[in-house]
Amino acid sequence: MPTRPAPVRPLDAHTAAELSSVAAQLLADHGSATSPGLLAALPEACARLGDAVRHALRPVETADGLFVVRGLRPDDTELGPTPGHWSTVGEAGAVWDVILLLVSTLMGTPIAWDGQQDGRFVHNIVPSPGHESEQTGASSSVLLTPHTEDAFHPGRAHLLVLCCMRNHDGIATTAASVRRTALREEDVQQLRRPVVPILPDDAYEQAQRYPGRPVPVPTLFATDAGLTMRFDPAYTPLDEADQEWRQAYRRLEDELARVSVAVSLEPGDVLVVDNDIVVHGRVPFRARYDGTDRWLKRSSVRVPGRRTRPEAETDEHGYGQAALEAHPS
């Protein structure tokens, strides 16, 4: 797998301090990163931020479909040990939750899910005992298969934002852009057909029990800007598709593997991924559960008015999952 660096947008020391200071003041004013008052205050707080941070968070502008904002620096000791499960994080790293919410608000509208991590707008991604081999963020010992975030849902994020708290072992996030692939036109046409559904992943137990019939969805969709993608092979019943479609899907998998890159995040790095263009995953690693394991924080962002998806998605049931907006636009 290539290891070429992701496009990096640096923050100078003044801009990083400005963003951190605004986040710290919001947290002091509202007491918790999950406070409804803090969520409501995000747009006004963002209006006080200068042009430099706005420039760093301008839209994705290359076929890579991602970039890294670099210049923020967490204090490893101050963070405390990596939690063993998202539910035990409490207020650890809370100011980084607020930083991530500010970053997300500058790019769009942060969203949460009523069925995941108690409806929090910032998720903690840590390896958890008993989940090592799952296809979720809590896994460790298996390759996290490249996928579109929340691919099962029509209201999924346009942007995925990952902030690295700790990564002593240099564990890589994998990423592959459909716009870097060299697909045959006949394969594109096959995969624009809605043949099979994408099912909810194991992080959505309530959605997995939804009684409605799964809705077939297209894998690829053409826009004026280029191809977009909705892809999650681990939760796609491929054996229900016809042979021609399955062959095209396998060739897409091969092409994504060919163009995949490994992005090893440093503490404080913020990785922004265009969820319509790029699939992401993670290489396997051995979790120690000693407080020093990899720890990321994650937010999901919708971009109001963005037209990158088929109109038919508006008729999907989303397996009963409701997306919550931090501050409706």
Side-chain angles (χ1 to χ4, degrees), residues 172-212:
T173 299
T174 63
S177 169
V178 69
R179 294 185 184 171
R180 290 288 187 194
T181 62
L183 292 169
R184 303 186 312 182
E185 181 57 30
E186 51 265 42
D187 289 337
V188 172
Q189 293 305 318
Q190 281 288 340
L191 296 175
R192 291 180 65 178
R193 295 194 294 136
V195 173
V196 291
I198 300 175
L199 305 175
D201 65 57
D202 289 341
Y204 292 91
E205 294 181 6
Q206 183 181 20
Q208 289 180 332
R209 298 191 295 269
Y210 185 74

Side-chain angles (χ1 to χ4, degrees), residues 113 135 144-160 174-176 178 198-201 204 217-220 228-236 249 252 256 273-281 298 300 309 313:
W113 300 95
Q135 284 295 310
L144 183 60
T145 304
H147 62 283
T148 301
E149 187 73 4
D150 300 320
F152 74 94
H153 202 283
R156 63 196 178 279
H158 295 107
L159 302 173
L160 176 70
T174 63
V178 69
I198 300 175
L199 305 175
D201 65 57
Y204 292 91
V217 299
T219 301
L220 299 178
T228 61
M229 175 171 53
R230 187 177 183 180
F231 182 83
D232 194 350
Y235 293 95
T236 299
Y249 196 92
L252 172 60
L256 291 171
V273 174
D274 189 319
N275 198 41
D276 285 327
I277 300 173
V278 174
V279 290
H280 69 283
R298 176 182 68 199
S300 298
R309 296 171 182 173
E313 288 195 9

Side-chain angles (χ1 to χ4, degrees), residues 3-328:
T3 56
R4 71 170 182 266
V8 174
R9 300 180 181 180
L11 295 180
D12 61 33
H14 172 78
T15 303
E18 176 191 29
L19 184 57
S20 299
S21 176
V22 170
Q25 188 60 57
L26 276 172
L27 188 60
D29 289 345
H30 297 280
S32 171
T34 62
S35 162
L38 185 146
L39 296 173
L42 288 169
E44 183 179 348
C46 284
R48 301 198 300 270
L49 293 168
D51 291 340
V53 70
R54 296 176 185 280
H55 181 67
L57 295 169
R58 64 193 182 277
V60 175
E61 57 193 6
T62 70
D64 297 292
L66 54 81
F67 60 84
V68 173
V69 177
R70 180 165 292 161
L72 296 162
R73 292 289 181 265
D75 184 311
D76 190 72
T77 302
E78 189 177 280
L79 278 175
T82 299
H85 191 266
W86 68 262
S87 62
T88 63
V89 172
E91 292 298 313
V95 71
W96 289 90
D97 290 26
V98 185
I99 288 172
L100 203 52
L101 287 168
L102 287 168
V103 165
S104 300
T105 300
L106 285 168
M107 294 188 296
T109 303
I111 63 170
W113 300 95
D114 58 1
Q116 191 178 29
Q117 295 205 11
D118 289 343
R120 295 170 185 263
F121 285 87
V122 176
H123 295 169
N124 286 275
I125 310 302
V126 294
S128 299
H131 298 269
E132 289 85 353
S133 61
E134 293 179 353
Q135 284 295 310
T136 69
S139 68
S140 52
S141 63
V142 295
L143 175 73
L144 183 60
T145 304
H147 62 283
T148 301
E149 187 73 4
D150 300 320
F152 74 94
H153 202 283
R156 63 196 178 279
H158 295 107
L159 302 173
L160 176 70
V161 187
L162 298 171
C163 184
C164 179
M165 296 289 91
R166 179 173 289 134
N167 192 17
H168 295 328
D169 303 305
I171 298 158
T173 299
T174 63
S177 169
V178 69
R179 294 185 184 171
R180 290 288 187 194
T181 62
L183 292 169
R184 303 186 312 182
E185 181 57 30
E186 51 265 42
D187 289 337
V188 172
Q189 293 305 318
Q190 281 288 340
L191 296 175
R192 291 180 65 178
R193 295 194 294 136
V195 173
V196 291
I198 300 175
L199 305 175
D201 65 57
D202 289 341
Y204 292 91
E205 294 181 6
Q206 183 181 20
Q208 289 180 332
R209 298 191 295 269
Y210 185 74
R213 181 181 178 85
V215 179
V217 299
T219 301
L220 299 178
F221 177 64
T223 72
D224 291 341
L227 284 176
T228 61
M229 175 171 53
R230 187 177 183 180
F231 182 83
D232 194 350
Y235 293 95
T236 299
L238 300 174
D239 57 352
E240 296 178 7
D242 58 80
Q243 182 178 359
E244 291 79 12
W245 189 95
R246 288 200 308 271
Q247 290 173 341
Y249 196 92
R250 296 302 184 195
R251 284 191 285 269
L252 172 60
E253 286 186 297
D254 291 343
E255 273 296 291
L256 291 171
R258 184 182 66 83
V259 302
S260 182
V261 297
V263 182
S264 183
L265 297 175
E266 302 172 7
D269 281 356
V270 177
L271 173 63
V272 178
V273 174
D274 189 319
N275 198 41
D276 285 327
I277 300 173
V278 174
V279 290
H280 69 283
R282 189 215 61 245
V283 300
F285 66 99
R286 183 180 295 277
R288 292 182 293 271
Y289 305 125
D290 63 355
T292 67
D293 283 321
R294 177 180 184 261
W295 178 7
L296 305 182
K297 288 181 179 285
R298 176 182 68 199
S299 66
S300 298
V301 181
R302 282 185 184 158
V303 180
R306 196 179 198 201
R307 298 178 62 83
T308 50
R309 296 171 182 173
E311 291 185 9
E313 288 195 9
T314 59
D315 295 328
E316 294 179 27
H317 51 59
Y319 299 87
Q321 281 296 292
L324 315 172
E325 294 191 344
H327 40 80

